[in-house]
Amino acid sequence: MRALESPALMEAVLDAALAAGINHIETAPAYGPAEAFLGRALARLGERDPAARASLVLTTKLLPGPEPDDGRAQLRACLRRLGVERLDNLAVHGLNRPEHLAWALSGPGADLLAWATEEGLVGQVGFSSHGDTALIEAALASGRFGFCSLHVHLFDRERLPLARAALAAGIGVMAISPADKGGRLHDPPPELVADCTPFAPLELAYRFLLAEGISTLTLGAAVPEDLAWAVRLADAGATATAQATGAAGRELAAALARLEAAGRQRLGADRCGQCRQCLPCPNAVPIPALLRLRNLAVGHGMEPFATERYNLIGRAGHWWEAVDAAACGRCGDCLPRCPLQLPIPDLLADTHRRLAAAPRRRLWG
C-alpha cells in the first residue's frame, strides 16, 4: 500500500521482504498503482529466482457492491495487473456494514465469490472489516470465509476474542496495520517509549500479537528499511503457550504489565476500563471507542494518534465511527451502568476539547 514512489521502490521492498523471511504479500486495487507495481516486481523476481517467487502467498481485495459481471471484470483486472493466473487469497475489502455481508453471503457477491473459486482463480476467500463486533461475528459464523483481517491491536483489544475464536475454528487472522492504525507506533511519544521498555513500542505490539497466536502481521513497508522489524521478530513466532512458559514470555508479560500500570497511574480514577456496559447510548455516541482515545492521549502521551483518529469521525464513511463526543446530550443513561462510576459526560466533553481539530487528509479515500 505504501511503497508507491516508483516500481523500482516496490521491487526493492519485495526483495527486502524475501530476505527477511516474509512469505505473504497483501495488496488491493484501491491502493493506487500498488497492484501494477507489485506485478512488475513479481515478474522480475520470477525471472531471477523462480523458487522464491513460488514461495510467496498472494492476497488482493475487492470492494463489496459490484454485480457479478462487473466483479468478474474487476477480478480479471487484478489478475492482469499482478501478472498471475490465480490468487492464493481474495478478500472482500471493507466488509463493514450489514448490507456488505448480505452482498457476500446471499447477494451478487455470493455468485462472484463462488465463480472465482469454482473457476480456480482464487484459492480461498476472506474479508477485511472495520465493522462492529456483531457484524464480524456473523461473518465468521457464516462458514463462507477462510480468513479475515481485523483491527486487533495492543491498544485496541475489543476484537481479540473474535480473533481467538476465528483461529480456533481454523480461520486465519491478519492484524490490520499494527504500526499505524495500532497507534502510530512507528513514531512513538517519549512517554510511550518509556512505558514499553525494554522493547520499542512497535516491537512490543508485534510480540503481543504473535503471542496471542495471530497468524499474519502487516508490516506496511514504505521503504526496505521498514522490514527490519521482521528480522528482529524472527524468534517471536512461537505459540502463545510456548511464549508463556519461557523466559521470553515472562519478559513480554512483565513489559505489558508495566505498560498498563503506567497508563493507570497517569489516568487515575478517570481511566475507562472498556467494559462497554455504558452502551447503548440514546444518541449513538460510541462511548468506549472515544474514551479509548482519551485513555491513549492521557495515559501514554499518544495525543497525535488519538487526534488523528478522532478527527476521522463522520468523515470516513463506513470505514470509521460516525458520531463524536459532541453528540453527548448529558442524559445520564450511561452513568448507573458504569461499574467504575465514571463521570462519562464530563469525560466525553474533555475528549472533545482535547482531540477535536482540523481533519487530516486520509491516505486513501
Side-chain angles (χ1 to χ4, degrees):
M1 185 178 83
R2 299 176 62 220
L4 302 181
E5 183 178 299
S6 68
L9 176 61
M10 181 68 80
E11 186 174 355
V13 167
L14 179 61
D15 289 345
L18 285 163
I22 289 170
N23 71 335
H24 181 200
I25 309 297
E26 194 251 19
T27 188
Y31 300 156
E35 281 188 332
F37 285 6
L38 181 58
R40 292 175 60 174
L42 290 170
R44 289 173 64 87
L45 175 64
E47 294 168 358
R48 297 193 321 270
D49 191 342
R53 171 64 188 89
S55 72
L56 290 174
V57 175
L58 187 60
T59 299
T60 196
K61 308 188 286 291
L62 290 178
L63 293 166
E67 294 297 317
D69 286 347
D70 187 26
R72 292 186 186 103
Q74 289 183 30
L75 178 55
R76 290 192 180 103
C78 290
L79 296 172
R80 285 195 301 271
R81 286 189 292 267
L82 291 166
V84 299
E85 296 182 354
R86 179 184 181 275
L87 290 163
D88 298 289
N89 305 313
L90 175 68
V92 179
H93 190 181
L95 200 158
N96 299 337
R97 288 179 170 170
E99 57 265 33
H100 298 158
L101 183 58
W103 173 86
L105 297 183
S106 58
D111 295 336
L112 170 62
L113 297 176
W115 169 81
T117 52
E118 289 165 3
E119 290 294 312
L121 300 178
V122 302
Q124 65 172 343
V125 297
F127 67 92
S128 68
S129 182
H130 301 237
D132 62 30
T133 296
L135 179 70
I136 296 170
E137 279 183 330
L140 293 173
S142 71
R144 183 64 187 90
F145 302 107
F147 66 95
C148 60
S149 300
L150 305 177
H151 284 281
V152 185
H153 300 137
L154 172 60
F155 292 104
D156 185 359
R157 305 185 191 184
E158 178 189 346
R159 290 169 181 79
L160 192 54
L162 292 176
R164 290 171 178 152
L167 291 164
I171 297 172
V173 178
M174 186 174 81
I176 297 174
S177 187
D180 184 24
K181 296 181 179 68
R184 292 183 66 181
L185 302 181
H186 50 82
D187 184 24
E191 298 96 320
L192 186 60
V193 171
D195 295 346
C196 293
T197 302
F199 299 103
L202 185 51
E203 182 178 3
L204 182 61
Y206 284 143
R207 288 184 179 274
F208 167 77
L209 292 170
L210 288 171
E212 288 289 339
I214 301 302
S215 48
T216 305
L217 302 184
T218 47
L219 300 187
V223 294
E225 292 75 16
D226 290 341
L227 295 170
W229 286 110
V231 177
R232 292 185 63 179
L233 293 166
D235 67 337
T239 64
T241 300
Q243 286 279 338
T245 57
R250 291 191 294 273
E251 184 180 33
L252 176 63
L256 293 171
R258 287 192 297 271
L259 173 67
E260 181 174 355
R264 285 180 178 273
Q265 183 177 23
R266 294 191 190 100
L267 285 158
D270 289 340
R271 176 182 177 274
C272 173
Q274 297 290 289
C275 69
R276 305 182 64 82
Q277 293 184 40
C278 54
L279 298 177
C281 168
N283 290 345
V285 176
I287 298 170
L290 303 185
L291 295 188
R292 181 181 72 86
L293 295 178
R294 184 184 183 277
N295 280 357
L296 298 182
V298 177
H300 299 292
M302 297 168 67
E303 191 158 322
F305 168 73
T307 298
E308 177 184 79
R309 303 309 294 176
Y310 188 81
N311 286 279
L312 284 177
I313 296 172
R315 301 184 176 102
H318 56 76
W319 297 92
W320 192 234
E321 303 287 0
V323 178
D324 69 16
C328 173
R330 292 186 169 272
C331 67
D333 277 15
C334 56
L335 293 174
R337 297 199 296 267
C338 177
L340 300 178
Q341 298 184 312
L342 295 177
I344 292 174
D346 293 340
L347 294 179
L348 288 172
D350 181 69
T351 299
H352 193 72
R353 283 193 298 270
R354 287 176 182 273
L355 304 182
R360 293 170 56 93
R361 181 182 177 274
R362 297 181 70 219
L363 183 60
W364 304 110

